[in-house]
Amino acid sequence: MVSVPPLDLRTGMAQETLLRRITNRIRQSLELEDIITATTAEVRSLLGTDRVMIYQFHDDGSGEVIAESIYENRLPSLLGLNFPADDIPPHARELFIKSRVRSVVNVDSKEIGQSPVRNLETGEIISEDLLYRPVDPCHIEYLTAMGVKSSVVAPIIYQNQLWGLLTSHHSQAREVAEYELDAMQMVVEQVSVAIAQSNLLTQARAKAEREAIINRIATLLHSLPTIVLQPALEATVAAFNGIGGRLCIRHNAFDLQHSQFKSLRECLIPGSNCLQLYVCGEQPVIPNPNIYPFLEQYSVWQEHYKSGEYEIWAINDIYQDSNLRIIQLAFKPTKIRSILMIPLHYRQELVGYLSIFRNEIETETLWAGKFDPDNRQLYPRMSFELWRESKKAQAQKWTNEEIELAGEIRKHFASAIQQYELYQQVQKFNENLEKQVHKRTLQMQRTAEQQQAVFGVINKIRESLDTDTIFKTTTKEVCKLIKADRVSVYKFTEDWGGEFVGDFEATNPNWFNETKLGINTIWNDTYLQDTQGGRYRNNETFAVDDIHKMGFTPCHVDILEQFQIHAFVLAPIFIRQQLWGLLCTYQHTGPRQWKISEVNFISQIASQLGVVIQQAELLVKTQQQADQLTQTLHELKATQTQLIQTEKMSSLGQLVAGVAHEINNPVNFISGNLIHINEYAEDLLNMLDIYQQKYPEPCEEIIELAAELDLEFLLEDLPKTLSSMKIGVDRIRQIVLSLRNFSRLDEAEMKEVNIHEGIDSTLLILQHRLKARPESPGIEIIKEYGDLPLVECFAGQLNQVFMNVLSNAIDALEIYRKHTAESAKENPRSGKITISTTVGVMNDNEKSAVIQIRDSGPGMPETIRQRIFDPFFTTKPIGKGTGLGLSISYQIVVEKHSGIFKCDSQLDVGTQFWIEIPIKHIVISH
């Protein structure tokens, strides 16, 4: 720098010019570095000295040269060098602060001059000349060691504190005038103003930067519906020049049932699942095993904040606080030394912790000459050789500005977390609402499906009005729909016992039915008998999930276990207002928790089942009434058939002409059956009388039939006819006795008889039709009798069957013989009738008598064979047959004797009749 010649300062004009120039230089910039650099240059130019520097004090009393101006390197640079606090004694500092004293030292004269600006006691501004006194020898040696012969020092005061010193050094001794001190005083005053302005600028910039940081973090935090916590944490750590950080907050801590949040203390309990942790950068290492997986779960934080005062905890050095021993182990593997613990609270409720970490640092200070901090070392430093002081593992202290910034940031974190929790709360409510809506929708769907299933089962049930079919369909469909092991229908009896009338068992590989529970199983529950239906009388459905948890009596449990029943649902079946039975659903594989929808479904099916059963019973009752009417008509027709058959049997006279030629009319049959006819007639008349009383208004068909038959005349004439027949009985007694073996009229009740005798007597009566005549050959009878025991039967009726079958066989052979003779124009051939008897088996190993009668006639086509047992059906010419013989024979064999009567025929081969009746017969009363 070129030296500016010193100005003449003896005039006020020159001083004013100097001050203006310095002030302008200072005001050209608000940057403190520029200001102090310009200040040193101007002052050095003003004073014409070798070195002018500005020395700034540190908080610990030491100081550093922060700016200097040197003329042609006449003195070494001290810029950046630090000086210990001992260099300026406390009393000197006090004079600098209170008196604003200017100090002038002349090394050659060994004098120091001081010029105070203010009164030390009153603080008033004064103006005094320099007052010289001898300078301390140590001070002389100190300056000499620095190469200084003349020194001028003016204090820089900022906010009533000693901020620094404006110092002028000269390598030669020189006199310092009072106006030079005044000029330096004006400069330091302007420097104080500049410092204030620069600090204001720095504060403004710091505030702007702090607000920018806060706005940036707030923007990340308040971006609902998605709160970006991780970037916000990273931005916060960066704002504090941290090495790492953590954000531990409540998460999903809202209890929907009680509509409140769990406290952070509850969330920090080990094992809790309501914590959310965000981490950034370097982290402590939690030792394993450890019951506390999170650093925030250590008790040191809860103990520190137990008072409820959630202040920011600035921990400059974790190893200098004995209360932090519990966490020091986690930080040992790292270089983290400083923690800024920021409790996040909203309305005095703690919601989380935000922590910032700083690593330890190494500090290096450049000192101006070695020194001994021992106060007993009074001798001055003899050398100002530079030396560096290095310190390792130094903590980075948290400043007040950083703590204030943390306070602002935590408000946004706490507010954002509170909003996030409210958002979670709303989400919970929405989720719960969605679940409720979904649950309600499912319930409605299940209800609709259940109703559809009910309608489906009902439709299938109503496809038939047969009770067995109804029970099978119901149990099967219900079992399939609710996936039960078994569904049964139980019907009550008059004494409130009952039995199972319907059952369906599902195929289940995990269970095999060994319970013998099924249709016709009797189950008489004494409780139901004593209470006449128990709870089911009140239309109550009973569902049991586990029989061992219902408090049943031991005997009741034993019965259920006997049938392997572990769970069941019993629904009452009502017909009108009467309890009819139960629809039973059983689980055999194990206990089962019945759903309400399943129980309701079973109840609905049971209710509908009662309606369907009622309809089926009404149909059965109606059918029974119709059957009764049909039976009545059938009996009337049977009576008519018997009457016609009686007339037909009168033709037996010609069949027994060889035995009793005096019997010219078929009255022998009448004599054998007169007693029965008389009883039948009386029964018929009584029945008709009762029928007319009970049904005074018969249907149109009966009225027409009665008119056609002339019923009134018949009723009047029938007794007379029977009376005349009775008179004739005495006259033909001897003839009747000769036919007794055939008709057996004195053996009308069932009796053990010899079947072969009955067949032989019938053949005897028909002997005249079997013999050869001039115009035709005879009919050969082949007997193949087996070893038949006595057969219990109605002998007379069975002989009548033999008569009808043999007569039809003889008629068929005669017609066939005549037909073949005419077509072949040759002599007619003889026919054959084969009669065979054997012992057979029928109806589950029941012994039977089998009689087969076959002829060698023409046979018959299938259409005729299918109708030969129909009443009034005949293939004979008009006047030759009534079509009742085989129909009556069928009734005698099948209905009277519970036997089998069938016919097999082949054209041009012949016809065979099969008669089979039980040897031992159980009489069924009608």
Side-chain angles (χ1 to χ4, degrees):
M1 178 182 289
V2 178
S3 176
V4 178
L7 297 175
D8 187 0
L9 300 179
R10 295 182 180 181
T11 63
M13 181 66 69
Q15 292 180 2
E16 184 177 349
T17 301
L18 173 64
L19 181 60
R20 186 182 301 112
R21 191 174 69 190
I22 294 176
T23 303
N24 289 337
R25 290 292 301 274
I26 292 175
R27 290 180 177 176
Q28 287 178 359
S29 175
L30 291 176
E31 299 294 338
L32 182 60
E33 184 177 355
D34 295 339
I35 292 172
I36 59 178
T37 300
T39 299
T40 56
E42 292 295 334
V43 172
R44 192 197 61 75
S45 299
L46 171 66
L47 299 179
T49 57
D50 293 334
R51 179 170 59 203
V52 174
M53 62 183 186
I54 292 179
Y55 179 84
Q56 183 181 5
F57 288 102
H58 298 153
D59 293 338
D60 61 355
S62 64
E64 178 185 1
V65 177
I66 63 174
E68 71 176 358
S69 177
I70 303 175
Y71 179 66
E72 293 184 353
N73 297 323
R74 291 183 178 180
L75 289 176
S77 174
L78 301 179
L79 184 63
L81 295 184
N82 288 268
F83 294 82
D86 296 346
D87 283 6
I88 301 176
H91 68 275
R93 294 173 186 265
E94 184 178 2
L95 289 174
F96 282 139
I97 295 173
K98 293 183 177 181
S99 298
R100 308 291 198 268
V101 65
R102 284 77 54 87
S103 175
V104 178
V105 177
N106 191 321
V107 174
D108 289 343
S109 63
K110 298 181 181 181
E111 291 181 330
I112 181 170
Q114 294 180 336
S115 175
V117 177
R118 296 178 182 272
N119 188 293
L120 184 59
E121 296 179 357
T122 64
E124 294 179 357
I125 297 175
I126 61 175
S127 178
E128 294 184 357
D129 296 334
L130 281 168
L131 301 177
Y132 286 92
R133 64 174 177 81
V135 68
D136 191 309
C138 290
H139 196 177
I140 294 297
E141 293 181 8
Y142 183 81
L143 292 175
T144 301
M146 295 176 64
V148 176
K149 294 294 186 178
S150 174
S151 171
V152 181
V153 179
I156 303 174
I157 305 298
Y158 175 66
Q159 294 182 346
N160 295 322
Q161 298 293 326
L162 184 60
W163 183 89
L165 301 174
L166 177 61
T167 304
S168 173
H169 289 164
H170 200 64
S171 59
Q172 300 294 327
R174 69 184 297 271
E175 296 292 333
V176 178
E178 186 175 349
Y179 59 80
E180 290 181 324
L181 294 178
D182 292 340
M184 290 185 68
Q185 183 63 39
M186 287 187 293
V187 171
V188 296
E189 289 177 356
Q190 289 298 319
V191 171
S192 297
V193 174
I195 292 172
Q197 293 175 347
S198 178
N199 285 345
L200 288 176
L201 176 62
T202 302
Q203 292 175 1
R205 288 176 176 174
K207 182 178 180 181
E209 183 180 359
R210 185 164 58 248
E211 290 178 351
I213 292 172
I214 294 172
N215 290 336
R216 184 165 62 254
I217 295 173
T219 301
L220 294 173
L221 289 173
H222 298 289
S223 56
L224 282 174
T226 303
I227 299 176
V228 188
L229 292 175
Q230 182 66 33
L233 172 62
E234 295 173 358
T236 303
V237 172
F240 288 92
N241 295 320
I243 192 64
R246 298 166 65 90
L247 175 63
C248 182
I249 63 173
R250 296 188 306 194
H251 180 71
N252 289 332
F254 181 69
D255 187 353
L256 185 63
Q257 183 177 0
H258 299 93
S259 297
Q260 65 182 12
F261 285 92
K262 294 180 181 179
S263 67
L264 182 62
R265 182 180 291 271
E266 292 177 300
C267 294
L268 288 171
I269 296 174
S272 174
N273 59 351
C274 54
L275 274 183
Q276 181 72 42
L277 179 66
Y278 299 88
V279 297
C280 169
E282 191 170 350
Q283 298 293 313
V285 180
I286 306 298
N288 287 320
N290 198 320
I291 62 173
Y292 301 117
F294 294 157
L295 177 70
E296 290 75 12
Q297 291 176 324
Y298 282 73
S299 60
V300 61
W301 317 115
Q302 284 74 32
E303 286 294 325
H304 184 78
Y305 292 112
K306 65 182 179 181
S307 63
E309 298 295 330
Y310 302 118
E311 298 297 331
I312 297 175
W313 189 5
I315 306 172
N316 292 322
D317 192 340
I318 59 176
Y319 299 107
Q320 299 300 319
D321 192 337
S322 59
N323 294 325
L324 299 178
R325 290 178 181 173
I326 189 172
I327 67 169
Q328 291 174 0
L329 187 61
F331 287 94
K332 278 290 185 182
T334 72
K335 293 186 177 182
I336 298 173
R337 185 169 289 267
S338 303
I339 302 176
L340 188 63
M341 178 58 70
I342 307 171
L344 306 176
H345 62 91
Y346 183 82
R347 294 180 180 177
Q348 298 304 314
E349 183 178 2
L350 197 62
V351 296
Y353 290 112
L354 173 63
S355 52
I356 311 296
F357 306 140
R358 278 181 178 170
N359 274 354
E360 61 187 20
I361 60 174
E362 294 183 1
T363 61
E364 185 177 69
T365 305
L366 187 63
W367 293 98
K370 290 184 179 291
F371 71 99
D372 189 346
D374 191 345
N375 291 330
R376 293 172 297 179
Q377 183 178 347
L378 301 178
Y379 60 89
R381 281 173 286 162
M382 300 305 295
S383 172
F384 271 82
E385 293 182 1
L386 302 183
W387 71 282
R388 298 178 183 275
E389 180 185 22
S390 296
K391 295 182 179 180
K392 297 183 178 180
Q394 298 297 299
Q396 300 185 62
K397 295 184 179 180
W398 303 101
T399 65
N400 293 332
E401 290 78 8
E402 289 174 331
I403 296 175
E404 290 177 2
L405 176 61
E408 294 296 326
I409 291 176
R410 79 166 176 177
K411 293 179 182 178
H412 290 281
F413 266 96
S415 175
I417 293 171
Q418 190 267 343
Q419 293 177 2
Y420 183 51
E421 286 187 338
L422 291 178
Y423 175 73
Q424 287 181 323
Q425 181 179 354
V426 172
Q427 288 294 100
K428 282 283 187 181
F429 280 121
N430 289 339
E431 289 176 4
N432 184 57
L433 181 60
E434 289 179 0
K435 289 180 180 179
Q436 290 180 351
V437 171
H438 182 65
K439 181 179 180 181
R440 182 59 179 166
T441 302
L442 290 178
Q443 288 178 347
M444 295 178 66
Q445 290 178 349
R446 283 196 291 265
T447 301
E449 292 173 356
Q450 178 178 324
Q451 293 301 321
Q452 291 178 355
V454 171
F455 293 149
V457 174
I458 292 173
N459 290 334
K460 289 185 179 181
I461 292 174
R462 291 183 175 176
E463 290 178 356
S464 173
L465 287 176
D466 176 66
T467 54
D468 290 339
T469 304
I470 291 171
F471 296 151
K472 290 179 181 178
T473 303
T474 302
T475 54
K476 180 178 180 180
E477 293 299 322
V478 173
C479 193
K480 287 168 55 180
L481 286 172
I482 66 173
K483 296 180 174 58
D485 290 337
R486 182 189 294 276
V487 176
S488 304
V489 177
Y490 179 80
K491 181 180 180 180
F492 286 110
T493 56
E494 292 182 356
D495 62 350
W496 294 101
E499 66 175 343
F500 289 94
V501 296
D503 180 71
F504 181 81
E505 173 195 344
T507 303
N508 192 330
N510 299 322
W511 168 71
F512 299 96
N513 180 15
E514 298 178 355
T515 64
K516 302 187 183 304
L517 179 64
I519 298 176
N520 300 327
T521 300
I522 304 297
W523 191 320
N524 294 324
D525 190 313
T526 55
Y527 169 76
L528 295 179
Q529 289 179 308
D530 295 339
T531 58
Q532 296 185 352
R535 57 168 56 88
Y536 309 109
R537 292 176 57 88
N538 301 321
N539 201 12
E540 178 183 345
T541 299
F542 187 36
V544 174
D545 297 338
D546 190 341
I547 63 172
H548 298 287
K549 297 181 179 180
M550 292 300 295
F552 291 147
T553 60
C555 61
H556 192 180
V557 173
D558 291 342
I559 295 175
L560 294 173
E561 288 181 340
Q562 178 184 349
F563 291 97
Q564 298 183 12
I565 297 173
H566 297 280
F568 61 84
V569 177
L570 303 180
I573 302 173
F574 277 85
I575 295 182
R576 299 183 183 90
Q577 302 300 321
Q578 180 66 31
L579 179 61
W580 180 89
L582 301 172
L583 179 60
C584 311
T585 304
Y586 297 114
Q587 200 70 18
H588 297 292
T589 53
R592 172 173 176 171
Q593 185 174 0
W594 302 101
K595 299 178 181 177
I596 297 177
S597 58
E598 294 174 336
V599 177
N600 292 337
F601 172 74
I602 296 171
S603 299
Q604 290 179 326
I605 296 299
S607 176
Q608 293 298 322
L609 183 59
V611 175
V612 176
I613 292 174
Q614 179 182 352
Q615 294 175 347
E617 289 185 349
L618 289 175
L619 176 63
V620 171
K621 186 175 182 180
T622 303
Q623 290 177 340
Q624 288 177 348
Q625 292 175 347
D627 291 343
Q628 289 177 355
L629 293 175
T630 303
Q631 182 65 23
T632 302
L633 292 175
H634 180 71
E635 291 177 355
L636 289 174
K637 289 182 179 180
T639 303
Q640 293 173 346
T641 302
Q642 290 293 336
L643 292 175
I644 296 172
Q645 184 66 14
T646 300
E647 182 178 355
K648 178 182 178 182
M649 291 302 294
S650 64
S651 63
L652 288 176
Q654 61 181 333
L655 299 177
V656 294
V659 179
H661 63 87
E662 68 273 25
I663 301 177
N664 297 318
N665 296 313
V667 294
N668 57 332
F669 185 79
I670 296 174
S671 64
N673 293 281
L674 184 58
I675 296 175
H676 300 291
I677 293 174
N678 190 41
E679 291 176 355
Y680 296 159
E682 289 178 0
D683 293 339
L684 178 61
L685 293 177
N686 290 335
M687 185 198 70
L688 288 176
D689 183 49
I690 294 172
Y691 178 80
Q692 289 175 344
Q693 291 178 11
K694 296 294 184 179
Y695 300 92
E697 296 180 3
C699 64
E700 184 177 358
E701 184 179 357
I702 296 176
I703 294 174
E704 292 177 357
L705 182 61
E708 180 181 353
L709 297 177
D710 196 2
L711 184 60
E712 292 181 357
F713 172 78
L714 190 148
L715 295 175
E716 181 181 359
D717 189 64
L718 182 58
K720 296 178 181 179
T721 303
L722 293 175
S723 179
S724 62
M725 291 175 65
K726 186 176 181 181
I727 295 173
V729 167
D730 294 336
R731 294 168 52 193
I732 58 174
R733 176 67 60 185
Q734 296 300 322
I735 299 173
V736 171
L737 291 176
S738 65
L739 299 175
R740 177 175 297 175
N741 188 43
F742 169 77
S743 62
R744 297 181 183 268
L745 294 180
D746 58 344
E747 297 177 4
E749 298 300 326
M750 183 167 286
K751 183 179 180 181
E752 289 184 346
V753 298
N754 188 329
I755 293 296
H756 295 157
E757 290 181 358
I759 296 173
D760 291 342
S761 63
T762 303
L763 290 173
L764 178 62
I765 295 174
L766 296 173
Q767 184 65 37
H768 67 289
R769 297 189 62 186
L770 299 174
K771 291 180 179 180
R773 295 190 294 274
E775 68 276 9
S776 63
I779 298 174
E780 182 182 2
I781 301 297
I782 302 174
K783 297 180 181 180
E784 298 176 352
Y785 289 168
D787 187 10
L788 281 182
L790 297 179
V791 178
E792 194 174 14
C793 63
F794 295 99
Q797 296 181 15
L798 199 57
N799 286 341
Q800 184 179 348
V801 173
F802 298 152
M803 175 65 75
N804 287 327
V805 173
L806 290 172
S807 296
N808 282 332
I810 293 171
D811 292 339
L813 288 173
E814 288 180 348
I815 295 173
Y816 184 56
R817 181 180 55 195
K818 185 181 296 186
H819 176 72
T820 55
E822 292 176 355
S823 61
K825 298 189 182 294
E826 59 184 15
N827 292 328
R829 63 179 182 178
S830 62
K832 294 181 180 180
I833 296 177
T834 303
I835 303 173
S836 62
T837 61
T838 57
V839 176
V841 178
M842 63 182 299
N843 298 333
D844 296 331
N845 298 324
E846 182 180 3
K847 289 186 178 181
S848 62
V850 180
I851 302 98
Q852 300 179 60
I853 301 175
R854 58 182 180 273
D855 61 58
S856 58
M860 65 184 79
E862 183 65 19
T863 54
I864 294 177
R865 188 196 67 78
Q866 292 178 351
R867 298 187 60 191
I868 59 173
F869 296 128
D870 293 346
F872 304 106
F873 175 79
T874 181
T875 58
K876 296 177 181 179
I878 297 175
K880 295 296 184 178
T882 61
L884 294 174
L886 292 179
S887 175
I888 293 174
S889 298
Y890 185 87
Q891 293 177 1
I892 293 172
V893 175
V894 176
E895 296 181 8
K896 292 289 186 179
H897 291 84
S898 301
I900 298 173
F901 191 30
K902 60 183 179 180
C903 173
D904 293 326
S905 181
Q906 295 182 10
L907 292 174
D908 297 328
V909 175
T911 301
Q912 174 179 286
F913 283 90
W914 178 289
I915 302 168
E916 184 177 6
I917 60 173
I919 293 176
K920 296 294 183 181
H921 190 78
I922 299 176
V923 180
I924 301 176
S925 60
H926 294 276

